[in-house]
Amino acid sequence: MQPTWTVVVPVKRLDAAKSRLRGALPAVPHEELALALAADTVRAAVACPAVAEVLVVTDDPAVAATAGAAGARVVPDRPDAGLNAAFRHGAEVAGRGWVAGLTADLPALRPAELAAALLAAATDTPGVRRFVADAPGSGTVLLAAPPGVALEPRFGVGSAAAHAAGGALPLHGDWPTLRRDVDTAADLAAAARLGLGPRSAALLAPCP
């Protein structure tokens, strides 16, 4: 598969990231867990055969160092105005090609599933934005835009409905590791059943 996509992954400062997960692993510092989720997400995206570049938008130095070591390009979150502003900034930096926004909490993500979703986004209905809903169906894990079409991110509570209302069309593929974002301890357990990436798996390994 020809690498064509730039994938934008915003990551908050670790002390403010994934607040609902705080305390999920009592023996693990919260910032370490949040970093592991992002690291495994970025690692999978970098390994995806459809992806030419992963662009991480962050102001956190630990995230920047980890993402850079994984092969991603890191840019500062200049807007510093929330998730959607970070997605828009990353899309602007990416330029006019195929651009996708990916959430940073997909620790079980398999590169092949991301590739399949991006291929579907490029071929199912050309010329329009496409999105992949999360496992519960109300959120969004991936938003994809073809060249010349603005990303128009509407991530947050109820984002699947918000993206649909904005004209994006849903993708319905069976991609369990792509759809499994992690906001709560139950989500983390579900991701573990799918098989975590190495950074997240290492944190759960000592746990009963």
Side-chain angles (χ1 to χ4, degrees):
M1 183 181 295
Q2 179 90 18
T4 54
W5 289 85
T6 297
V7 172
V8 177
V9 184
V11 185
K12 289 182 181 179
R13 296 177 183 88
L14 294 175
D15 59 359
K18 309 310 300 181
S19 58
R20 285 193 286 163
L21 260 185
R22 194 171 292 278
L25 299 179
V28 176
H30 178 72
E31 290 78 6
E32 189 174 346
L33 176 57
L35 178 59
L37 302 183
D40 286 332
T41 303
V42 170
R43 176 179 176 273
V46 167
C48 176
V51 174
E53 182 176 58
V54 177
L55 200 159
V56 173
V57 181
T58 189
D59 281 337
D60 190 287
V63 173
T66 299
R73 177 184 175 193
V74 180
V75 298
D77 184 2
R78 296 200 185 280
D80 193 20
L83 184 61
N84 289 313
F87 272 119
R88 288 192 294 270
H89 176 56
E92 290 169 3
V93 172
R96 297 178 59 83
W98 296 89
V99 178
L102 185 71
T103 59
D105 56 355
L106 306 172
L109 179 62
R110 299 292 183 268
E113 288 192 14
L114 177 58
L118 292 174
L119 178 62
T123 59
D124 280 5
T125 307
V128 300
R129 290 177 299 116
R130 306 302 301 268
F131 70 93
V132 176
D134 61 9
S138 60
T140 305
V141 293
L142 178 75
L143 177 66
V149 176
L151 191 62
E152 296 185 24
R154 301 183 180 194
F155 287 85
V157 176
S159 62
H163 284 129
L169 299 178
L171 291 165
H172 298 293
D174 182 21
W175 306 305
T177 71
L178 173 60
R179 295 185 186 275
R180 183 67 277 165
D181 58 347
V182 172
D183 290 315
T184 66
D187 294 339
L188 183 59
R193 290 191 290 272
L194 292 170
L196 295 168
R199 289 286 290 264
S200 302
L203 297 184
L204 267 69
C207 298

